[in-house]
Amino acid sequence: MNDLVILVGGRGKRLGKITNHTPKPLIKIKNKRFLDILLSKFIKYNFKKIYLMCSYKKSKFFKLYHKKKIHNSEIICIDEGLAKDTGGGLYKLRKLIKGNFFLINGDSFFDIDFKNLSNLKLNKNIIACMAITKNKNYKKNDKMNNLIIGKSNNIEYSKKKSSYMNGGIYFFKKRIFNYIENKKISLEREILKKLILKKQIKGVFFKQYFIDMGTIQKL
């Protein structure tokens, strides 16, 4: 199975004092770290490498996970340096990842079948396939909402109000690194938005439950 990248570098400001000492993905849910809950779901895919993109409190991730084995996967922590949002930190992976790969956010839970993303036929023009979910109560989701799946599964921005949004799980061709720069840049608001407008992103809708832990209420 392809490599997996997990974004765990965010500061988590919306969680207030909770993240003063503990990064979002390491917050415990019923005595189990949220990141461990995610990792337990990925064992079945036998990823060769699982890369953790670290920035805030990065030493905690390195101590707990760097070069550790989980089933058949090796976990590698990557130090982004100064936070570069969801896009810029990926620049450090351009020489490490040799082929297509999956990427997820480390602060959301969306228990889908990854194979449904990678099995979708992607022609030469397509850069990625994105998991889409129903927007039930995320009024201020700025990480790509108001989406629809058009012809040939192409993701489009709806001209009318849409109830579909980005689920934060992607299958990328290695060519995505052609669009990654070594600077602070948003994967969703800048890189993927441009690719959607060029009809270079496909999508698959999943009905499974989606939740992120970015706010105290959701946590």
Side-chain angles (χ1 to χ4, degrees):
M1 176 59 86
N2 307 71
D3 293 332
L4 171 68
V5 177
I6 307 179
L7 304 180
V8 297
R11 172 64 178 82
K13 291 181 179 179
R14 290 180 296 167
L15 290 175
K17 294 181 180 180
I18 296 175
T19 54
N20 281 350
H21 303 287
T22 304
K24 277 191 295 183
L26 300 185
I27 292 173
K28 289 186 177 181
I29 311 294
K30 292 186 176 179
N31 295 318
K32 190 170 184 179
R33 297 183 194 94
F34 184 75
L35 181 55
D36 289 337
I37 295 173
L38 292 181
L39 290 171
S40 71
K41 295 292 182 180
F42 306 141
I43 290 175
K44 61 185 176 183
Y45 295 109
N46 290 313
F47 289 109
K48 294 179 181 178
K49 297 282 180 65
I50 297 177
Y51 293 98
L52 302 182
M53 303 306 299
C54 309
S55 180
Y56 179 65
K57 301 289 183 184
K58 54 196 171 190
S59 62
K60 293 182 179 291
F61 292 99
F62 274 82
K63 182 179 180 180
L64 290 168
Y65 299 103
H66 188 50
K67 294 189 177 180
K68 299 291 178 64
K69 280 275 190 175
I70 173 173
H71 195 50
N72 294 319
S73 305
E74 182 184 10
I75 301 177
I76 302 294
C77 292
I78 302 296
D79 182 359
E80 292 185 20
L82 295 177
K84 295 183 176 67
D85 209 331
T86 51
L90 299 177
Y91 185 82
K92 289 196 172 183
L93 293 176
R94 69 197 190 285
K95 294 181 180 180
L96 296 176
I97 291 182
K98 306 301 181 184
N100 302 337
F101 65 100
F102 289 88
L103 183 144
I104 72 165
N105 293 320
D107 61 353
S108 59
F109 185 87
F110 195 20
D111 192 13
I112 67 170
D113 187 345
F114 281 21
K115 293 178 181 178
N116 288 340
L117 290 180
S118 58
N119 287 343
L120 194 67
K121 188 175 181 180
L122 305 181
N123 60 39
K124 292 182 179 179
N125 184 54
I126 300 300
I127 303 295
C129 187
M130 177 194 304
I132 299 298
T133 184
K134 267 286 187 74
N135 187 347
K136 295 181 180 179
N137 55 4
Y138 290 83
K139 297 179 180 180
K140 294 184 178 180
N141 174 30
D142 62 352
K143 295 296 182 70
M144 302 172 62
N145 55 13
N146 211 42
L147 301 174
I148 57 173
I149 300 177
K151 293 182 179 179
S152 301
N153 290 98
N154 287 333
I155 294 290
E156 301 173 8
Y157 285 103
S158 178
K159 295 179 181 179
K160 300 179 181 180
K161 188 174 181 179
S162 163
S163 60
Y164 295 96
M165 70 178 191
N166 172 22
I169 299 178
Y170 317 90
F171 178 68
F172 283 119
K173 287 184 178 178
K174 183 173 171 57
R175 283 199 295 138
I176 189 66
F177 290 111
N178 295 338
Y179 303 88
I180 303 295
E181 299 179 69
N182 188 22
K183 65 178 185 179
K184 189 174 183 178
I185 186 170
S186 169
L187 176 65
E188 300 88 354
R189 290 188 293 270
E190 299 176 71
I191 299 170
L192 293 181
K193 182 177 181 180
K194 291 178 181 178
L195 293 176
I196 286 175
L197 294 175
K198 292 180 180 179
K199 298 187 183 302
Q200 291 183 285
I201 306 288
K202 288 186 180 290
V204 178
F205 170 74
F206 295 90
K207 63 181 180 180
Q208 284 84 347
Y209 183 72
F210 170 91
I211 190 168
D212 77 66
M213 53 183 292
T215 67
I216 292 176
Q217 181 185 15
K218 296 293 191 303
L219 177 60

